[in-house]
Amino acid sequence: MRFRTRNPLSLPSGSSWPPTFPSPSSYFCSTLGRACITGSYTILSAAGAVGSSSSPHCHGVKSTPGLNTTYFRLPHGTPGLLGPSISLMAFMKKYLPPILGFFLAYYYYSANEEFRPEMLQGKKVIVTGASKGIGEQMAYHLAKMGAHVVVTARSKETLKKVVSHCLELGAASAHYIAGSMENMTFAEQFVAQAGKLMGGLDMLILNHITNTSMNLFSGDIHLVHRSMEVNFLSYVVLSVAALPMLKQSNGSIVVVSSKAGKMAIPLVAPYSASKFALDGFFSSIRMEHSVTKVNVSITLCILGLINTDTAMKAVSGIINTDASPKEECALEIIKGGALRQEEVYYDNSVWTYLLLGNPGRKILEFLSLRSYSLDKFINN
Ligand SMILES: NC(=O)c1ccc[n+]([C@@H]2O[C@H](COP(=O)([O-])OP(=O)(O)OC[C@H]3O[C@@H](n4cnc5c(N)ncnc54)[C@H](OP(=O)(O)O)[C@@H]3O)[C@@H](O)[C@H]2O)c1
């Protein structure tokens, strides 16, 4: 399976905030091989129980060298994990099925939504980094669906060709504005101009990246700066400039990221840092939109290796794995945006979604909101 999407924790419209979770009297957070549950702790090792602690706070995952250490907060009055009547297995038996059921329900709920190309008909869409690669393919899909498109990149001549092909394919309108996303003033003005050309904006697809080759990090701070500016900061500037229009249209922001923005990958440290930053920033903004009832969706797209010319050149002789087709990848990104999915995973391996999907993070994000007093931010 190459592609999965999910939208596990978005609230149905009309839901109250903060949300209520089917309330187990204890709760947990987990990282691979370890779990942390705050409160009065019983400590277990991989080999068995090793001791206990009663610290009221657990700010991080504590570990004993060589051991996977697990802390649990149990309901008041519950015998400890070392006690006779409750064990880790009993705890898992009790709480794991409802939690898994909850996630499966969300998964199937989101998977049942059907994409229809008409969803994009007449919609006003910006695609950045659209002179080649995945961005170019997204422009062509959008054109076939009858959308208005404004594309951008630095090279005018290639953009011209993309625009004329979009018109041939049936775009409602197609324009280009050339410029560099190293220039934040250009980024801001570009959105305003594109909005004027189309008379508004429904979807902002952020896709461009600065040129990156695969190399050991040599201490090149300029490359780190450029990567953070082009791959991250300009995304923030573009979305800030677009937000008023997107609020009006109840529109969408689509952020194209990478596996390198979810897991460590060697030889691309500055690129990876910029992609992780996208996750941190846009996932946080997505939560804020949910809290403040801003109906602008944010879709983060996590891509594996895609057969664009740039990527094929960059990985040549370094990575031996099949690349997925850019045309299909482009379509899946658009579908995820149109369906307002939180995340889109597109890769040649099903493990990417299964392992990077990280339900533990989602559960923790969801539960951690309960300790925030967010009332004063709502309807401000
Ligand atoms: N291909 C993959 O294997 C792969 C894997 C994971 C994630 N992704 C993500 O998918 C997205 C597209 O990748 P791709 O392979 O399609 O890239 P690509 O073919 O290299 O296209 C990059 C686009 O960005 C533009 N660009 C480069 N520097 C720019 C700048 N300073 N200002 C404005 N535009 C600039 C390029 O046009 P100009 O040179 O004309 O400016 C081009 O249109 C990226 O976000 C990438 O991280 C790709």
Side-chain angles (χ1 to χ4, degrees), residues 190-200 245:
F190 159 72
V191 173
Q193 281 178 37
K196 265 192 198 144
L197 282 169
M198 294 188 287
M245 286 188 281

Side-chain angles (χ1 to χ4, degrees), residues 74-134:
L74 297 169
H76 287 298
T78 308
L81 290 177
L82 295 173
S85 62
I86 188 163
S87 67
L88 178 62
M89 284 310 291
F91 178 86
M92 300 289 268
K93 251 185 173 170
K94 193 165 178 190
Y95 295 120
L96 210 57
I99 289 170
L100 285 177
F102 175 78
F103 274 91
L104 282 173
Y106 266 105
Y107 173 78
Y108 284 113
Y109 168 76
S110 57
N112 283 340
E113 286 177 281
E114 281 287 322
F115 172 79
R116 286 167 291 108
E118 307 85 80
M119 285 174 164
L120 272 304
Q121 195 167 24
K123 295 291 181 198
K124 298 153 186 166
V125 186
I126 284 176
V127 187
T128 71
S131 64
K132 58 183 174 180
I134 300 164

